[in-house]
Amino acid sequence: APAAEQELIAGLPSDFRWGVATSAYQIEGAVDVDGRTPSIWDTFCRVRGAIDNGDTGDVACEHYTRMPADVALIKDLSMDTYRFSVSWPRVQPHGKGPASPAGLAFYDRLVDELLAQSIDPWVTLYHWDLPQELEDAGGWPVRDTAYRFADYSMLVFDALSDRVNTWTTLNEPWCSAMLGYAYGVHAPGRKEYPAAVAAVHHLLLGHGLATERMREAAPRAIDIGITLNAATAYPASDAQPDLEAARRADGMGARLYLDPLAHGRYPADVIADLAAEGVEIPVQQGDLATISAPIDVLGVNYYFSQKFTGFDENGRTVGDNGLPISRTLPLDKPRTAMDWEIVPEGLTDLLVRISRDYPGLPMVVTENGAAFDDTPDASGYVVDDGRTAYFSSHLAAVATAINQGADIRGYLAWSLLDNFEWAYGYEKRFGIVRVDYDTQTRTPKQSALYLRDLIQQLRTN
Ligand code: PNW
């Protein structure tokens, strides 16, 4: 890595948390064993054209049966934290009612295995796999789903809270609501804009209800948080329409979540933007107090940032629909295989901005990583220079944010394994460990060894 980056990274705190992240549907496979019922992703994978190559999570990385070896791998890589998600339909097959003992038993074994290796388990309760039965009842646009989520959360909490100290309610509610219910590119594949905004509110309400109940039931001091995906929205220029486009993007992408969570109110400018589109957030009495229940840690997932303009190609600022123009323009940076631009300074700017606007909220980077077109040698080893450089530049960006006063406690790489990359199927590889899907062989890539060596060095400092 460049010397300037190395120096910044070497200055990271000695008690910094290091880990890797995964999610249930992306790695587990075993979708029809031990009483698990379909989630919205099992259903969506069967929609023609929804997923590249017609891929599904049916087999994935077979983590459900290979879990002990995968935990050993995390240990080999010197990670102290493993962030995984619990599959709702595995643990509570009907989305309501009793837990499935066999489903819970898997996570019970996983937690024991992690603790036996001195790895901290970080549980995410919802990483997008809503039980299909709850979608059939309306899904996240329906208020009842928030209460179902809180009930489900308590089933998991009751089973694991004797050993698990860190609990994350939701992973990236923006993705669940917008990709799932507005753009239709993620499960359940609906394109219903007002419903998507209702989904945002009910996801946040579910977070708040679960947070209140877990806190109340906690056997000791535990950490509760939520993970958001956010980015820095750069204006293309200082022209008013560009500044406005960046403001709107930041409003819908970040402040629509951060403001109710941290301040107990939806941002007035976003409410006004939505009203101009004829959309209202279905807030009921007391909801915002629930949503703003205190949390201990904010998870930040970061992949890229974008530049926004309020002008169309013809210089107009208002579209045919009467709404203001919002478009992204290239920042002219190199891109990953996802076609996402590589913008490490966007991570610094994001972390510094959150720490300034929402003070007192410790942060952990709960996902950061990149897909590249890996070329394995005969042994399966991948010299992934692009991914290694991505980690180095983004770790330096985190260190820069800390040096500017941001309270960042740790960094979790996405992802432990190549896995089911949602609408892109298995084509896009985010793993620091290669998975040969024919043999299920795991081979740490160069980037994994880079992180391992780095962690070992920093620990001995
Ligand atoms: C995250 N976007 O998803 C998820 O938490 C992971 O499950 C996923 O594998 C990872 O990032 C890589 O994609 C995102 O369109 C999906 O901006 C889409 C976006 C961001 C994050």
Side-chain angles (χ1 to χ4, degrees):
E5 287 180 9
Q6 277 182 37
E7 204 175 306
L8 281 162
I9 295 167
L12 283 167
S14 54
D15 62 349
F16 204 60
R17 183 177 287 282
W18 294 96
V20 284
T22 63
S23 89
Y25 190 68
Q26 294 181 274
I27 64 166
E28 286 179 0
V31 292
D32 54 5
V33 307
D34 294 339
R36 183 187 180 280
T37 60
S39 78
I40 54 176
W41 273 96
D42 297 274
T43 306
F44 191 60
C45 286
R46 264 123 200 121
V47 174
R48 198 176 297 276
I51 315 291
D52 288 356
N53 304 314
D55 288 343
T56 75
D58 287 3
V59 176
C61 308
E62 293 184 354
H63 174 71
Y64 195 70
T65 49
R66 297 172 182 274
M67 177 272 285
D70 288 340
V71 172
L73 194 52
I74 299 169
K75 186 68 187 173
D76 288 342
L77 296 177
S78 293
M79 302 291 171
D80 52 57
T81 299
Y82 177 49
R83 171 179 180 257
F84 61 93
S85 81
V86 173
S87 161
W88 186 344
R90 205 184 277 297
V91 158
Q92 191 188 36
H94 300 288
K96 55 176 77 166
S100 153
L104 270 179
F106 171 72
Y107 299 103
D108 209 68
R109 292 197 305 275
L110 170 57
V111 166
D112 283 344
E113 196 75 33
L114 290 164
L115 293 175
Q117 304 274 15
S118 307
I119 300 166
D120 266 3
W122 276 36
V123 170
T124 297
L125 288 160
Y126 186 73
H127 200 127
W128 307 357
D129 43 0
L130 186 72
Q132 181 61 41
E133 283 188 40
L134 292 186
E135 176 58 29
D136 294 343
W140 285 110
V142 167
R143 187 176 171 91
D144 186 57
T145 304
Y147 295 92
R148 300 285 68 77
F149 172 70
D151 284 354
Y152 148 72
S153 297
M154 290 313 292
L155 293 180
V156 183
F157 193 78
D158 287 341
L160 305 180
S161 62
D162 59 332
R163 285 155 291 155
V164 172
N165 292 320
T166 306
W167 293 83
T168 301
T169 53
L170 308 175
N171 176 71
E172 302 188 349
W174 177 88
C175 288
S176 296
M178 293 299 140
L179 300 181
Y181 291 93
Y183 310 142
V185 297
H186 277 188
R190 288 164 59 180
K191 296 181 185 166
E192 301 165 35
Y193 194 55
V197 173
V200 171
H201 183 65
H202 297 139
L203 282 153
L204 289 171
L205 181 62
H207 154 82
L209 292 166
T211 298
E212 288 178 341
R213 288 182 57 187
M214 288 192 288
R215 189 78 75 195
E216 169 101 31
R220 63 184 181 292
I222 53 158
D223 288 332
I224 304 179
I226 183 169
T227 277
L228 304 178
N229 59 308
T232 302
Y234 293 104
S237 79
D238 285 341
Q240 203 55 35
D242 287 345
L243 295 173
E244 270 286 292
R247 176 195 63 73
R248 285 194 304 272
D250 183 60
M252 281 303 288
R255 290 182 291 108
L256 181 58
Y257 302 86
L258 286 163
D259 281 25
L261 288 164
H263 299 151
R265 56 172 183 269
Y266 282 109
D269 62 315
V270 179
I271 293 179
D273 292 343
L274 289 169
E277 302 173 53
V279 178
E280 209 179 313
I281 307 174
V283 182
Q284 293 187 15
Q285 181 84 46
D287 286 1
L288 285 157
T290 297
I291 292 170
S292 59
I295 55 174
D296 308 290
V297 57
L298 175 69
V300 175
N301 291 355
Y302 180 82
Y303 291 92
F304 62 94
S305 288
Q306 289 175 314
K307 184 164 94 176
F308 291 85
T309 179
F311 297 97
D312 70 7
E313 294 85 346
N314 305 313
R316 298 187 315 161
T317 57
V318 178
D320 294 335
N321 56 6
L323 295 173
I325 300 285
S326 254
R327 292 190 301 141
T328 60
L329 292 176
L331 285 158
D332 295 320
K333 304 268 196 176
R335 291 169 187 264
T336 69
M338 297 292 281
D339 217 29
W340 294 345
E341 291 191 286
I342 302 175
V343 194
E345 64 272 28
L347 177 56
T348 304
D349 293 342
L350 173 68
L351 295 171
V352 170
R353 190 278 291 254
I354 295 178
S355 69
R356 187 193 61 212
D357 291 351
Y358 308 93
L361 202 50
M363 287 178 274
V364 168
V365 176
T366 37
E367 286 180 24
N368 178 237
F372 283 98
D373 294 321
D374 293 330
T375 318
D377 69 13
S379 76
Y381 184 66
V382 180
V383 182
D384 54 342
D385 288 321
R387 189 176 291 105
T388 306
Y390 184 98
F391 284 128
S392 164
S393 60
H394 286 75
L395 282 167
V398 171
T400 302
I402 293 174
N403 295 343
Q404 293 179 19
D407 184 2
I408 326 281
R409 305 288 176 89
Y411 178 94
L412 314 183
W414 183 268
S415 180
L416 172 65
L417 301 170
D418 290 335
N419 61 47
F420 176 76
E421 179 49 34
W422 307 113
Y424 298 91
Y426 297 97
E427 195 72 32
K428 297 283 183 274
R429 293 175 178 267
F430 275 88
I432 61 172
V433 173
R434 180 173 181 85
V435 175
D436 176 331
Y437 291 111
D438 294 327
T439 61
Q440 289 291 343
T441 303
R442 276 82 159 130
T443 312
K445 304 176 192 177
Q446 172 187 263
S447 57
L449 307 183
Y450 162 76
L451 289 172
R452 178 197 65 190
D453 293 349
L454 186 67
I455 296 165
Q456 290 177 355
Q457 274 165 31
L458 292 179
R459 273 201 200 119
T460 55
N461 279 351

